[in-house]
């Protein structure tokens, strides 16, 4: 008999990288999931090809939740690995929930996020915790390291599109790159972080008022900061150009950057579909937050 668990994918509306260093960020759970199925077995094995990091993360989560690793692990996902949609966190949350089911115990969203964080550390070294928080809770959350995540008021409908610019490098390398820049150019980094914190306040306000035009502008401004961190690529710029040229209100890197996904805000569902169509070669899809 199999034991099943799921975790959401995520998009970061504002604050990727800055959250690693203690700033606030805002993330949204996207309606695409990863599902893990565990079957009891004498020892740990996988029904799919995987690397050492995933094996290590799996061991950590299973030991924490099921107090043993005797399982065959299977996984399916509605979104790609290494795209900036938080695949590793959604895998770890799904795994924690499946492990709890196998151990015959209840697991809250908060506990699933906490157990998944152990796996995230194996994957990424120094994760902020925003991905596993979103993968467990979904919704729209204000996040800051070491604080309880705070669900945010959403006072209207926001029509998002996500497009995938192509495979990005491992999150760990991109996080290390930004951490080095923070160390080598502290004044420049501080100025960017200050701007990011200001954008967080404005974003909370735009979300609560249901003001999509303001939110789109803030996303563009956030993207300027991420580009200054060296996280944009020609494909990301191409996606932003196509989206904005076809009526998008704003578009930004989401996740670690250096490839991966672009989060786009459309004025309505129809425009969102049109933009997703134009970005067909980038595997674009739309979803609604309200
Ligand atoms: O690209 P992803 O899905 O791994 O997202 C990483 C988000 C970062 O802020 C860059 C890292 C983190 O741990 O918050």
């Amino acid at each position: 008999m199999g034991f099943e668990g799921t975790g959401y994918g995520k998009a970061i509306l504002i604050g990727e990288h800055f959250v690693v260093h203690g700033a606030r960020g805002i993330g949204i759970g996207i309606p695409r999931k990863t599902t893990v199925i565990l079957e009891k077995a004498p020892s740990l094995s996988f029904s799919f090809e995987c690397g050492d990091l995933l094996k290590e993360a799996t061991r950590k989560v299973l030991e924490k939740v099921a107090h043993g690793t005797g399982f065959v692990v299977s996984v399916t996902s509605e979104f790609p690995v290494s795209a900036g949609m938080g695949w590793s966190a959604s895998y770890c949350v799904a795994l924690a929930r499946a492990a709890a089911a196998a151990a015959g115990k209840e697991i809250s969203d908060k506990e699933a996020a906490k157990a998944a964080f152990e796996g995230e550390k194996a994957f990424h070294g120094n994760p902020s915790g925003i991905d596993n928080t979103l993968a467990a809770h979904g919704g729209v959350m204000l996040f800051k390291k070491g604080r309880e995540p705070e669900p945010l008021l959403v006072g209207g409908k926001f029509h998002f599109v996500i497009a995938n610019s192509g495979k990005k490098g491992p999150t760990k390398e991109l996080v290390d790159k930004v951490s080095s820049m923070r160390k080598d150019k502290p004044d420049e980094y501080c100025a960017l972080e200050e701007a990011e914190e200001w954008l967080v306040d404005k974003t909370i306000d735009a979300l609560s008022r249901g003001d999509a035009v303001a939110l789109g502008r803030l996303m563009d401004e956030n993207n300027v900061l991420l580009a200054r961190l060296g996280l944009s690529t020609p494909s990301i710029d191409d996606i932003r150009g196509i989206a904005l040229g076809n009526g998008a209100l704003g578009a930004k890197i989401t996740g670690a950057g250096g490839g991966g996904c672009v989060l786009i805000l459309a004025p309505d569902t129809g425009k969102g579909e049109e933009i997703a169509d134009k970005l067909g070669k980038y595997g674009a899809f739309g979803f609604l937050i309200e």
Side-chain angles (χ1 to χ4, degrees):
M1 184 177 109
F3 300 94
E4 191 177 304
T6 61
Y8 293 106
K10 69 96 206 349
I12 298 181
L13 196 47
I14 177 154
E16 44 277 276
H17 288 282
F18 295 100
V19 286
V20 172
H21 306 288
R24 294 170 302 159
I26 298 172
I28 53 191
I30 61 174
R32 296 220 163 178
K33 287 184 176 176
T34 300
T35 301
V36 167
I37 294 177
L38 292 176
E39 277 163 287
K40 289 196 172 158
S43 61
L44 180 59
S45 64
F46 296 83
S47 70
F48 56 101
E49 288 276 311
C50 60
D52 291 344
L53 291 183
L54 186 137
K55 286 181 184 160
E56 177 62 14
T58 304
R59 249 181 236 111
K60 288 205 160 147
V61 175
L62 287 177
E63 268 156 15
K64 191 160 174 73
V65 182
H67 308 296
T69 60
F71 295 100
V72 181
V73 185
S74 304
V75 65
T76 53
S77 187
E78 294 166 349
F79 60 94
V81 184
S82 281
M85 281 188 264
W87 191 92
S88 61
S90 73
Y91 169 78
C92 290
V93 165
L95 179 66
R97 287 182 173 143
K105 58 186 192 191
E106 293 281 315
I107 187 166
S108 65
D109 291 348
K110 190 175 165 183
E111 287 163 339
K114 198 167 164 211
F117 191 59
E118 296 307 311
E120 277 285 88
K121 282 194 261 184
F123 271 111
H124 298 318
N126 180 27
S128 63
I130 191 169
D131 283 16
N132 48 297
T133 298
L134 263 304
H137 294 271
V140 181
M141 292 276 181
L142 177 66
F143 176 86
K144 182 175 166 71
K145 238 180 177 176
R147 268 205 217 155
E148 284 295 308
E150 215 181 290
L152 288 176
L153 181 70
V154 179
K157 289 187 176 176
F158 294 98
H159 304 266
F160 288 104
V161 174
I162 288 189
N164 189 354
S165 75
K167 212 164 169 68
K168 69 178 177 69
T171 298
K172 186 177 181 326
E173 275 171 30
L174 293 152
V175 167
D176 287 349
K177 174 177 155 164
V178 174
S179 299
S180 303
M181 185 266 186
R182 181 172 177 259
K183 217 164 113 211
D184 298 342
K185 299 179 182 167
D187 292 348
E188 198 176 317
Y189 180 85
C190 272
L192 295 176
E193 190 182 84
E194 227 170 84
E196 191 266 348
E197 284 281 6
W198 184 85
L199 289 176
V200 169
D201 286 327
K202 297 284 165 201
T203 300
I204 294 171
D205 186 51
L207 280 170
S208 70
R209 288 185 293 106
D211 188 341
V213 172
L215 186 64
R217 250 188 247 125
L218 294 163
M219 288 167 65
D220 284 341
E221 286 179 41
N222 186 201
N223 197 70
V224 172
L225 305 182
L226 295 169
R228 291 269 298 277
L229 290 175
L231 300 166
S232 204
T233 66
S235 305
I236 289 173
D237 294 343
D238 185 41
I239 291 175
R240 292 191 69 249
I242 294 171
L244 296 170
N246 282 282
L249 300 174
K252 67 175 284 283
I253 291 166
T254 174
C261 284
V262 178
L263 181 67
I264 298 155
L265 184 62
D268 52 51
T269 306
K271 241 334 175 214
E273 278 167 10
E274 223 177 287
I275 293 168
D277 256 16
K278 298 266 188 225
L279 292 169
K281 72 168 169 167
Y282 291 111
F285 67 91
F287 65 99
L288 179 71
I289 294 285
E290 56 187 331

